[in-house]
Amino acid sequence: MSRRIALIVGVSQYDKSRTGLDSLAAPVNDAQRVYEVLAEYGGFDELYPLPLAKGEVDRSGWVTAQELRAKLHEVLNPQLADEVELAVFYFSGHGVNPDGQVAYLSASDKPLAVAISHIAKLAKHSAVKNICIWLDCCHSGEMLEFSDLTDKGFCVVAASHADGEALAADGNSLLTNLLCEALTPLNGNPPEIRVMDFIQTIAANGKNLPQQVVCLARGNTAFTLTQFHGETTVTSAYPPDYPPYKGLLTFTKDDSPFFFGRDGMIQQLLDKLSASRFVPLLGASGSGKSSLVLAGLLPKLPESDWQVLVMRPTAQPLQNLRDTLVRGFPDAQVGTLASGADLQREVLRLVTAGKRLLLVIDQFEEVFTECRDDTVRAAFFACLLEALDDDNPLHLVLTLRADFLGHCTEQAYSGLGQRLQHHALLLVAPTAGELREAITHPLALVGMRCEQVLEDELVDQTLHAKGSLPLLQYVLEKLWQSARQERSRELTLAMYQQLGGQHGGGLRGVLNEKADAFYQQLEPQQQRLMEWLMVELTQVGDGQDDMRRTVTLQELHNRQPQYTEALDALLVQLVTHERLLTQDHDDHGQATVTVAHEALIRDWQRLRGWLESNREIKSWRTRLEADIADWEKTGGSLLRDGRLIKADEMLTRYPDSLLIGQQERKFINASQQQQYREKEEAQRRQQVVETALQEAQRHSKIALIGKLINQATSIIHSPSLASNSRRS
C-alpha cells in the first residue's frame, strides 16, 4: 500500500563554540506550524518531527548532525518493498556556504551537517515516486542546480537563491508563512491541492517578500499535497473576480504582482542600469518591451533611491519632455528645454539630493513616426544625449522597436547610433518555462488553475508564433472570462477550442473569432463607423509594418461631427468591454484613443483587409495633413496643379469615404475655389490683353492709314512734283 511520509526539521539551538552560529527563534516555531498543517490537511501516514517530543516538535530546537542525516536517509530511501507515494522534507535553520562553492544545512552541533548536493543525490536515487524538498534557510537556492529529475515527481521550494538570505519576522520565517498559507484551505473547506497549484501560489505570493523565493516542479507534477477532495481553493490576496491577465493592454507598475516569466530579463536590465546611465531596450513588436520596463524594472527600483518619469515622444518630443518634468515636479517651475545644458540644469535643480532620476521613454520609435520635423527630432536627441555626458543624476531607459534601429543611424543624431551599438539590450523571446510561469502563476493569485493539456498547447503555440505574447495574454483573458461564466476554477482545453470557433483554434484564431463576433453584431452604421475608426487609429507603414497611432477624441469628433454620439457609444464597447482600444489623457488633459496593441493590427484579418482597401487614401491623406495644418495656422499654400488634380481624383473615387473628413474637404474646396478664381482672373486678364491687342491693332491701322495719307499729301505737295506739273 502506498504511503505518504514527511520529515519536518526545525533547528533553533546552536552550540556557538562548535558551529560559530547564533541560535534562532523562528525554526522551532516554523517546524511546529508545518507539522500542524500537514497533520490536519496533508493526509500523511507518518510525520517525523525533529527534534521530537511527545509526537510533536520539541521546543528545545536541538538536532544533531547524526540525527538529521539518519532520518533524512530513512525518509528518502525507505525499504524498496515499502512503497512510498510521497516524501516531504522540510528544514528550517541555518544554511551556510563557507567556501562559496558548496552549501550545507547546519545542525546544532555541526555547521556542515548535510550538503545540499547530497540531498539532491539521495532524491535522484530514491525509490519514492514523488519528492518535495522545502528549505527555509540561507543559500538554499543551490538545490535548484540539481533539479534535473524527470523520472519522478519533484518539487523544490527554497527561501533564497544560492547566495541569498532567508528572512524572519515576529518569530516566524517568511517562507514558512507562505508555505503554510499555500497548504491551508480557506473557510475550513479542505481542498485537494496539486503540487502545481502549490508551486504557482508560492511563486505568485513570493514576489511580495523582501527575499527571492525560488521554486520549481519537474517530472510528474500531477500528485497532490493534500488528500482531501473538493473544489480547489488556495489562499489569495485578490478576490476571485480580479482579472489575472491584461489582454492586449500593457502591464504597468501597478500590475507587477501579475507579471511573471521575465525574471532573467529584469535582472539584465537592472545590471545594465547599474553599469550605464543609458539603457536602450530593443525588441520586435509584440515582444513585451513596455511591460518589461514598466511592470518588471520599475517595481525593483527603491523609491528611496530613484525618482521615475515615464513619457512617449509624440509629435513634439521636446515639448513633451518638458511637460513630463512639469508633471513629475508639479510644485516647481520648469524652464525651456532647448539643449542638453538646459536639461542638465533642470535635473540638478529638481531632483532630490542623493536620488537618481530615471527617465523612461516608451515607444521611442514615435520620434520617427509621429514627429515630422527632422530639426525638432535632432534637437530632441541632442538634448537627451548631451545631458547624459555631464555629471548629473539623469538615467535614460528607452524602448525601441528593433525595425527602427536603421532610422537611428541614418544621420549623426548626436551619436545616437554609436550609443545604441554599445549599450543596447536585446529582448529575446521567453523560454517554455517562462511562458508556463506567465500562464499559471497569475491564476494562482486568484485561486485558479490551468489544465495541463491546455498549458502545454498554449506554450507550444506561443513558442512557434511571431510576436505572440500579446495574443497569449488576450487568449488567457478570454479563457478566464469563460471560466468565470461557467463558474469553474480551471481553464480547460475545451474552453480554448470553443473560443477558436471556425478559425480552427490557435491564438490568432481566438483573436479573429472574438473580434469578428463583436463586429458582426453591430448595426450597419456602427460597422461602417468601426471600420473608419480602426483605420483612423492606424498609421500605414512606408516600407515597414503598420503601427498604431494615438488620436485625441476631439480630433475624431471634429472629423465626423455628425457621428459624435454614435462614436462615443462605440468607444465604450471597444474600450471597456472588448478591450481592443484604450483611452487615456495627454499632458494637456485631452482624452486620447489608441489601439490596445499592434498585434491587433497585425493579426486581425478583417482589419488587415480594411487597411489594404484604404491604404492609398490613408497614405494620400497623411501627405495632405501637413499642408492642411500649415494652411490653418498661417494661411499657407493651397493645392495646385497635379496635387489638386490628385485630390479631385480621390474625391471622385471615394465620394463616401469617412477618411476624407471635413478638414480635407474644406481644404480641397478652398483649393478648388482658388483655382476657379485664378482661372477667372486669368481669363479676365486674357480678355483685357486681347481687347488691348485688338484696340492696338485698330489704332495701328488708323495710324498706318494716316501715315499713308500724310505721305501721299507730302508727295502731292512736293516741289519736284509741282515743277514737273508746270513743265507739262
Side-chain angles (χ1 to χ4, degrees):
M1 180 178 178
S2 295
R3 295 188 304 135
R4 296 162 61 87
I5 60 178
L7 172 60
I8 303 160
V9 181
V11 186
S12 285
Q13 186 177 353
Y14 287 87
D15 185 342
K16 191 168 185 179
S17 64
R18 299 166 65 183
T19 65
L21 301 172
D22 293 323
S23 294
L24 301 170
V28 68
N29 298 329
D30 296 338
Q32 182 62 34
R33 292 181 64 205
V34 172
Y35 177 86
E36 291 173 354
V37 169
L38 292 183
E40 184 171 359
Y41 304 114
F44 283 83
D45 299 286
E46 296 179 58
L47 295 174
Y48 302 105
L50 281 182
L52 176 64
K54 298 180 180 180
E56 293 188 350
V57 178
D58 185 2
R59 300 300 299 177
S60 70
W62 179 270
V63 178
T64 67
Q66 183 178 356
E67 289 177 309
L68 179 58
R69 292 179 193 139
K71 207 63 183 178
L72 185 59
H73 278 258
E74 180 182 336
V75 169
L76 293 185
N77 276 315
Q79 296 296 320
L80 294 179
D82 186 15
E83 186 178 0
V84 175
E85 174 197 351
L86 172 64
V88 173
F89 171 49
Y90 167 84
F91 177 87
S92 178
H94 276 299
V96 297
N97 188 344
D99 58 3
Q101 296 182 1
V102 179
Y104 293 83
L105 306 185
S106 300
S108 297
D109 61 342
K110 191 172 183 178
L112 310 183
V114 180
I116 287 180
S117 58
H118 180 67
I119 300 173
K121 184 177 180 180
L122 288 175
K124 183 174 183 178
H125 297 290
S126 175
V128 176
K129 292 181 178 179
N130 304 295
I131 296 176
C132 291
I133 298 175
W134 305 334
L135 305 179
D136 197 345
C137 60
C138 299
H139 308 289
S140 52
E142 184 175 310
M143 190 69 204
L144 271 73
E145 298 179 15
F146 310 101
S147 59
D148 56 345
L149 302 180
T150 57
D151 59 338
K152 58 173 60 73
F154 187 55
C155 163
V156 174
V157 178
S160 69
H161 54 76
D163 299 322
E165 296 182 342
L167 304 178
D170 301 324
N172 293 284
S173 298
L174 301 185
L175 174 62
T176 299
N177 290 341
L178 200 58
L179 290 171
C180 293
E181 289 174 1
L183 291 167
T184 303
L186 292 175
N187 303 322
N189 178 34
E192 178 185 73
I193 299 178
R194 297 185 312 170
V195 69
M196 283 305 299
D197 300 325
F198 171 74
I199 285 291
Q200 291 163 15
T201 302
I202 295 294
N205 294 333
K207 296 183 70 173
N208 300 320
L209 298 183
Q211 64 197 61
Q212 187 176 341
V213 174
V214 288
C215 55
L216 61 79
R218 290 287 187 269
N220 171 33
T221 57
F223 67 92
T224 62
L225 292 176
T226 63
Q227 284 287 303
F228 299 98
H229 298 281
E231 182 181 355
T232 298
T233 305
V234 296
T235 303
S236 172
Y238 299 88
D241 58 347
Y242 192 96
Y245 303 112
K246 291 292 290 181
L248 294 175
L249 306 182
T250 300
F251 282 85
T252 67
K253 187 176 180 179
D254 292 339
D255 304 313
S256 61
F258 291 87
F259 185 69
F260 289 95
R262 285 303 206 179
D263 289 347
M265 288 303 309
I266 293 171
Q267 189 59 52
Q268 288 189 53
L269 270 177
L270 288 168
D271 293 343
K272 280 276 190 180
L273 192 57
S274 66
S276 173
R277 292 169 57 199
F278 179 61
V279 182
L281 179 65
L282 274 64
S285 175
S287 60
K289 301 178 295 297
S290 299
S291 294
L292 178 64
V293 171
L294 301 180
L297 173 65
L298 297 192
K300 298 291 185 181
L301 302 179
E303 293 184 2
S304 58
D305 298 331
W306 291 89
Q307 291 175 266
V308 178
L309 298 177
V310 180
M311 64 168 285
R312 287 167 55 179
T314 70
Q316 296 293 331
L318 270 176
Q319 180 60 45
N320 201 33
L321 174 58
R322 183 184 181 278
D323 292 342
T324 301
L325 290 176
V326 171
R327 186 177 65 251
F329 302 94
D331 297 329
Q333 294 293 323
V334 179
T336 302
L337 299 180
S339 66
D342 292 338
L343 180 56
Q344 177 181 344
R345 179 195 68 237
E346 296 302 319
V347 168
L348 289 171
R349 187 173 61 84
L350 296 171
V351 178
T352 304
K355 282 194 173 185
R356 289 170 284 180
L357 174 65
L358 176 61
L359 175 63
V360 176
I361 305 182
D362 192 24
Q363 299 181 41
F364 193 69
E365 61 272 9
E366 281 188 356
V367 80
F368 298 103
T369 61
E370 297 285 339
C371 179
R372 306 287 182 179
D373 190 332
D374 193 55
T375 302
V376 172
R377 184 184 304 127
F380 178 60
F381 295 151
C383 181
L384 292 173
L385 301 180
E386 289 171 8
L388 288 176
D389 288 334
D390 294 317
D391 186 16
N392 60 71
L394 176 65
H395 291 65
L396 176 62
V397 170
L398 58 88
T399 66
L400 174 67
R401 262 180 43 174
D403 54 331
F404 278 84
L405 183 59
H407 288 66
C408 299
T409 62
E410 289 176 345
Q411 298 185 35
Y413 286 144
S414 301
L416 176 62
Q418 288 84 353
R419 289 179 186 260
L420 289 170
Q421 184 178 21
H422 289 103
H423 298 286
L425 175 62
L426 183 63
L427 178 56
V428 298
T431 64
E434 290 171 331
L435 287 173
R436 291 186 189 279
E437 290 182 14
I439 293 169
T440 60
H441 290 1
L443 279 177
L445 284 176
V446 294
M448 295 179 68
R449 66 169 66 169
C450 180
E451 188 181 35
Q452 188 66 51
V453 65
L454 171 61
E455 180 185 327
D456 293 341
E457 179 73 12
L458 293 176
V459 168
D460 182 68
Q461 292 192 6
T462 306
L463 282 175
H464 299 96
K466 173 185 175 183
S468 55
L469 287 182
L471 293 180
L472 174 63
Q473 280 288 320
Y474 178 82
V475 169
L476 287 169
E477 181 185 50
K478 297 303 178 186
L479 286 167
W480 174 77
Q481 291 172 352
S482 295
R484 292 287 300 160
Q485 291 172 358
E486 296 179 16
R487 298 183 180 276
S488 171
R489 306 301 296 166
E490 186 174 51
L491 311 187
T492 67
L493 183 63
M495 295 175 186
Y496 181 55
Q497 293 170 335
Q498 186 175 7
L499 286 175
Q502 65 186 30
H503 293 278
L507 302 177
R508 286 171 174 79
V510 175
L511 173 67
N512 279 273
E513 179 75 10
K514 299 300 290 184
D516 279 350
F518 172 74
Y519 171 78
Q520 288 165 356
Q521 57 88 32
L522 296 174
E523 297 294 331
Q525 184 190 67
Q526 290 178 306
Q527 289 182 343
R528 183 168 178 253
L529 196 59
M530 182 174 176
E531 176 181 350
W532 163 75
L533 177 62
M534 299 304 296
V535 175
E536 194 71 64
L537 296 175
T538 304
Q539 180 169 308
V540 295
D542 184 10
Q544 288 175 306
D545 292 340
D546 297 334
M547 299 176 60
R548 57 181 176 171
R549 61 188 289 260
T550 299
V551 181
T552 66
L553 184 59
Q554 187 61 51
E555 179 182 340
L556 295 173
H557 286 165
N558 290 343
R559 287 195 173 279
Q560 304 297 337
Q562 70 275 29
Y563 294 122
T564 296
E565 291 186 7
L567 174 62
D568 289 345
L570 179 61
L571 283 173
V572 169
Q573 298 180 74
L574 288 170
V575 172
T576 305
H577 304 301
E578 300 303 313
R579 299 189 7 140
L580 299 178
L581 304 180
T582 63
Q583 276 195 283
D584 203 347
H585 290 83
D586 62 20
D587 290 328
H588 304 289
Q590 288 213 50
T592 59
V593 184
T594 313
V595 173
H597 198 282
E598 284 166 5
L600 185 64
I601 297 172
R602 183 180 61 242
D603 295 309
W604 186 19
Q605 293 307 305
R606 187 180 298 275
L607 177 53
R608 296 302 314 155
W610 291 340
L611 290 171
E612 291 307 314
S613 299
N614 292 283
R615 187 168 299 277
E616 180 186 20
I617 189 171
K618 192 74 189 295
S619 298
W620 164 77
R621 202 193 74 180
T622 299
R623 295 190 296 270
L624 198 65
E625 286 172 349
D627 295 326
I628 295 175
D630 183 52
W631 174 65
E632 290 180 337
K633 289 180 180 179
T634 65
S637 301
L638 293 166
L639 298 178
R640 297 176 180 276
D641 305 325
R643 297 191 66 198
L644 182 55
I645 293 173
K646 179 65 175 179
D648 289 337
E649 176 189 341
M650 298 301 285
L651 287 176
T652 301
R653 290 173 56 192
Y654 303 99
D656 300 321
S657 175
L658 296 178
L659 289 171
I660 306 179
Q662 290 193 354
Q663 283 181 310
E664 290 79 25
R665 295 181 187 277
K666 181 179 178 181
F667 182 60
I668 295 171
N669 184 57
S671 299
Q672 291 171 331
Q673 290 180 355
Q674 175 181 266
Q675 183 187 57
Y676 179 76
R677 290 193 301 269
E678 289 176 350
K679 185 176 181 180
E680 279 193 326
E681 179 63 19
Q683 290 175 343
R684 187 188 66 78
R685 290 179 180 177
Q686 181 65 28
Q687 187 175 5
V688 169
V689 170
E690 289 177 356
T691 301
L693 285 174
Q694 291 174 359
E695 188 67 20
Q697 289 174 354
R698 188 175 67 81
H699 285 292
S700 177
K701 289 178 181 179
I702 293 173
L704 179 59
I705 293 172
K707 183 177 180 181
L708 292 174
I709 294 174
N710 289 337
Q711 288 179 350
T713 304
S714 297
I715 293 172
I716 293 172
H717 296 286
S718 68
S720 58
L721 183 58
S723 174
N724 290 335
S725 296
R726 287 194 294 270
R727 288 195 187 104
S728 57

